[in-house]
Amino acid sequence: MDFNIKKMLEGIEGVAEIRLLSSRNRHWDKVKLRGIDYAAAEDTIRKENLQEGILYVLSEKTAEKEQWAKPFEAAGCAGVILLSSAGGDDREPPVIGEEKVLIIGIKTSLTADQLTKELSNRIICEAQDVYEDLVDTNRYLFSNTLNKQDIGEMLEYFKNMIGNPVAVFDGMFHCLYTTDDMMMGMKQPKTLPKTIYMASKYLNRHFVKQRVRLEIDGAEREVAMISFPVSFQGKIRAYLSIPQVNQEIRNLDFPKIEMTASAIMGQMKHDFALHMAEERNIDSFLYNAICRKDIRREELMRQARSLGLNLKNKFVVLVFDAECSGEIEEAPQTINHMFRYSLEDKMFLIISSSVKKMGLHGITGLLEGKIVSVFEMELPAKICKKRMEEGFDRIRQEFGQYFRKSRLQTGMGNIAPIWQLEESFRNAKKALSYGVLSKGKDCDFSADYEDSLLLHLIGNIKSKEGLEELIPASLEKLEEYDRKHNTELLDTLSIYFNCNCNMKKSAQAMTIHYKTMVYRMNQISGLCETDFSNSDVRLRYGLGIKLFQLLKGD
């Protein structure tokens, strides 16, 4: 246990003066101590007669021998108290060299035996108080974990115990639970934290220390914060974090912190097990609703109700296509590199966390290698879509915070009842493909199926053969010509229509000379055997090339 030796000595009657004499060890407020004893004579001061973790009381005369402190240091003793008479020499006692062991000099009217007994009694009383406090803490945590399972209440108890705010963050440092709203807006400086080992008999032997910025009393302050990693099924799933807002961490009772932290983490692992089961149910529901053709409607409805979806509402499917690279490590480093999230895990965490903040009831899972969300349209469609757009902006910002390079593209399907999610999913993918065609494959965008006349046209033509009838056959001739001669005639024609058939703008978009653009368009006209100055031809080819590219990318 840790004891404040100075405080205990100050409370003993007959102790007149207390001074720290060791030059290296400046801390006597938290001394790890197993007990106290006294060395009665010089010949007892040998390493084999001394015990680890014991604080020894010694006569100052006995300590006059040169390098007398070395045996205490070699034996791993907690320290030494040097006694001198209260009415004796008034000279300042000297600092004792460079010894690492704690050395305290006192003037007292007590003998070494009397002081040892008095200190021992105080240590026993303090240890009993700590033990009773730990028992009460353990009883509360045991009762809460078994009966109430309330993380919020446990965090409040933790806050009252340590005098600082407490929060639980996921692996990407999104706040899951907190005792104080200031933790919701926490910002982390881009510095790697320290990994610290804590010698303890309790469960959590490591934590990470970092610097964070919090808004406190209307002003932003930078403070230190420790975070206990919570692992589950081979990955760090969350962090239990304590910022040093009101009280420094080093002044806290670490055994009690660890006991409470362990209980909270145990409850969190229970919650993670439930959460992961829910994720599997969501993925299963998405697969059944979108991919399976033989599933009965009753079974699908049962699955939807188990996920809390209101079947009276209509729904919309969103498909996310994200690509990220060049990570900037903001969250603490884990103890074991094997525990770290994969890139795909991190992207899923960012998107699913932002989706929950949209203020719409929905579920997020994985299907066909893409992140898919299904939202209930509880509010008017205009309001729902505005909230989704705000959510997309949050995701883009967070990707920019965590990754040096990122791209986020989103396709939104049509609004449909729960048993027609397949159609909404298919149309969301079409919106995604159309967004790539119209805005570029390297751009961030969100494309809504219901906002595009072309996608509506595709949706109303049920067969692929019907769509292919709208595509001029000469486009395949252009594609074949490009393949054989390594040219870009099909892309040139596509950009020509995207630029409203303006030769100058088309040349600028392709970064080629205007005359080169004219030459290419004459070449295309010859191969297609058509005149692009005709408005009907332009309409047919403008629509046809978009359908051609969409079907190629489907």
Side-chain angles (χ1 to χ4, degrees):
M1 286 182 57
D2 292 340
F3 295 90
N4 189 325
I5 302 300
K6 183 179 180 182
K7 187 176 179 182
M8 285 195 292
L9 287 171
E10 286 173 344
I12 297 175
E13 187 176 350
V15 175
E17 182 183 327
I18 308 169
R19 184 177 175 187
L20 183 65
L21 299 181
S22 49
S23 58
R24 284 194 183 181
N25 195 323
R26 295 291 182 183
H27 302 291
W28 54 4
D29 54 343
K30 294 188 85 171
V31 179
K32 193 169 289 296
L33 188 61
R34 289 175 49 225
I36 185 166
D37 201 349
Y38 69 96
E42 184 180 341
D43 60 359
T44 64
I45 307 175
R46 294 194 299 268
K47 179 181 176 182
E48 58 269 21
N49 294 331
L50 303 174
Q51 297 182 53
E52 183 181 356
I54 300 295
L55 179 68
Y56 283 91
V57 179
L58 192 67
S59 166
E60 197 170 60
K61 289 182 179 179
T62 311
E64 289 177 353
K65 185 178 177 182
E66 188 178 352
Q67 294 189 336
W68 63 270
K70 296 301 180 185
F72 292 95
E73 184 177 316
C77 298
V80 179
I81 298 176
L82 296 178
L83 296 187
S84 62
S85 173
D89 194 350
D90 288 333
R91 289 179 302 171
E92 283 285 320
V95 171
I96 311 294
E98 292 294 322
E99 277 69 20
K100 296 179 184 177
V101 70
L102 177 69
I103 304 174
I104 301 169
I106 68 169
K107 289 186 176 182
T108 178
S109 58
L110 301 175
T111 66
D113 185 36
Q114 289 172 331
L115 183 67
T116 299
K117 289 179 180 177
E118 185 63 34
L119 269 176
S120 295
N121 289 334
R122 289 176 179 272
I123 289 170
I124 290 169
C125 290
E126 189 168 327
Q128 286 177 337
D129 291 342
V130 170
Y131 173 74
E132 290 174 3
D133 194 21
L134 288 174
V135 169
D136 289 342
T137 300
N138 191 50
R139 186 182 294 116
Y140 163 78
L141 295 171
F142 183 77
S143 173
N144 188 295
T145 304
L146 283 183
N147 301 325
K148 290 183 264 186
Q149 300 178 345
D150 188 338
I151 289 281
E153 185 176 326
M154 294 173 78
L155 293 181
E156 285 292 341
Y157 175 83
F158 203 13
K159 174 187 174 181
N160 294 334
M161 183 180 74
I162 62 178
N164 285 310
V166 185
V168 175
F169 298 96
D170 70 11
M172 296 300 288
F173 254 69
H174 304 119
C175 193
L176 304 178
Y177 310 96
T178 181
T179 58
D180 296 72
D181 289 341
M182 71 172 73
M183 302 299 289
M184 300 295 292
M186 186 192 77
K187 299 175 185 175
Q188 291 176 265
K190 294 176 182 177
T191 55
L192 294 178
K194 297 177 182 177
T195 299
I196 299 173
Y197 176 79
M198 184 192 304
S200 169
K201 295 179 181 178
Y202 294 89
L203 296 178
N204 310 299
R205 300 178 68 86
H206 296 85
F207 61 91
V208 287
K209 189 174 182 180
Q210 59 201 134
R211 304 291 297 178
V212 297
R213 289 191 295 269
L214 297 171
E215 189 171 318
I216 303 169
D217 299 328
E220 194 173 89
R221 275 175 52 193
E222 186 172 303
V223 298
M225 184 172 78
I226 66 168
S227 298
F228 294 92
V230 186
S231 61
F232 184 73
Q233 292 190 352
K235 288 184 179 177
I236 298 294
R237 304 287 177 178
Y239 293 90
L240 177 63
S241 302
I242 311 164
Q244 299 180 104
V245 173
N246 304 314
Q247 189 174 175
E248 288 190 25
I249 302 298
R250 70 183 185 89
N251 295 329
L252 301 177
D253 184 349
F254 271 103
K256 197 172 178 182
I257 285 179
E258 283 201 282
M259 179 180 286
T260 310
S262 297
I264 294 173
M265 291 176 186
Q267 181 57 46
M268 288 167 62
K269 289 187 178 187
H270 174 265
D271 291 352
F272 284 135
L274 295 176
H275 178 69
M276 292 181 72
E278 183 183 43
E279 282 187 350
R280 286 193 294 270
N281 289 338
I282 290 173
D283 291 347
S284 172
F285 168 75
L286 291 175
Y287 176 78
N288 289 338
I290 294 170
C291 300
R292 280 186 62 184
K293 305 296 183 184
D294 59 341
I295 189 167
R296 294 165 52 192
R297 183 177 291 190
E298 295 78 10
E299 183 182 347
L300 192 64
M301 300 301 101
R302 179 188 59 76
Q303 273 192 295
R305 280 191 290 269
S306 71
L307 294 172
L309 300 178
N310 186 348
L311 305 185
K312 294 180 181 178
N313 292 324
K314 289 192 174 182
F315 299 82
V316 65
V317 175
L318 272 66
V319 176
F320 297 91
D321 185 12
E323 187 176 288
C324 300
S325 61
E327 298 176 55
I328 302 172
E329 287 290 353
E330 293 281 333
Q333 305 289 308
T334 60
I335 307 306
N336 187 335
H337 285 253
M338 296 295 291
F339 281 0
R340 294 193 185 179
Y341 279 108
S342 66
L343 183 63
E344 291 73 19
D345 289 334
K346 291 177 180 180
M347 290 191 295
F348 183 84
L349 266 181
I350 291 173
I351 291 175
S352 61
S353 174
S354 298
V355 162
K356 290 174 184 176
K357 296 175 184 175
M358 288 184 186
L360 302 170
H361 185 211
I363 57 175
T364 303
L366 293 169
L367 184 69
E368 295 181 356
K370 295 194 182 297
I371 300 171
V372 177
S373 290
V374 176
F375 285 105
E376 279 187 31
M377 304 300 281
E378 306 171 278
L379 303 171
K382 190 175 181 179
I383 296 175
C384 291
K385 290 184 178 182
K386 183 180 179 182
R387 291 188 181 180
M388 291 177 196
E389 285 292 339
E390 292 169 352
F392 302 151
D393 290 339
R394 275 197 301 272
I395 298 170
R396 290 188 194 104
Q397 290 171 9
E398 196 161 355
F399 275 171
Q401 176 186 348
Y402 284 107
F403 303 97
R404 298 185 189 278
K405 186 178 179 181
S406 63
R407 169 183 61 73
L408 177 69
Q409 299 172 344
T410 311
M412 186 186 306
N414 59 298
I415 298 170
I418 195 78
W419 53 86
Q420 292 179 0
L421 287 186
E422 179 194 0
E423 178 187 346
S424 185
F425 174 74
R426 189 172 62 247
N427 290 333
K429 287 178 66 178
K430 288 176 180 175
L432 201 56
S433 298
Y434 180 70
V436 171
L437 282 176
S438 58
K439 300 180 182 180
K441 62 180 180 179
D442 297 321
C443 297
D444 291 340
F445 65 79
S446 57
D448 186 350
Y449 173 82
E450 296 191 341
D451 285 347
S452 170
L453 181 62
L454 175 62
L455 291 176
H456 267 299
L457 172 63
I458 294 173
N460 288 326
I461 299 176
K462 300 302 179 182
S463 67
K464 187 175 181 180
E465 290 75 13
L467 289 173
E468 289 174 344
E469 289 177 3
L470 298 176
I471 300 173
S474 54
L475 291 181
E476 288 203 17
K477 186 190 296 184
L478 282 181
E479 186 182 43
E480 181 66 23
Y481 186 89
D482 283 339
R483 193 181 302 114
K484 285 182 178 179
H485 298 86
N486 196 25
T487 55
E488 297 178 327
L489 298 183
L490 192 63
D491 286 344
T492 301
L493 186 61
S494 176
I495 290 171
Y496 175 73
F497 285 115
N498 286 341
C499 294
N500 295 319
C501 303
N502 185 304
M503 288 280 200
K504 187 176 181 181
K505 288 183 179 179
S506 300
Q508 290 172 348
M510 295 196 72
T511 62
I512 58 176
H513 195 275
Y514 174 77
K515 288 185 178 180
T516 304
M517 186 69 195
V518 172
Y519 173 77
R520 287 187 184 181
M521 286 305 301
N522 288 335
Q523 192 178 11
I524 292 168
S525 296
L527 288 170
C528 295
E529 299 178 357
T530 190
D531 179 9
F532 289 107
S533 63
N534 185 295
S535 59
D536 288 338
V537 171
R538 285 183 177 182
L539 177 62
R540 182 167 176 248
Y541 273 83
L543 175 62
I545 197 166
K546 288 186 181 294
L547 288 174
F548 184 75
Q549 290 173 320
L550 276 174
L551 290 177
K552 287 287 183 182
D554 196 0

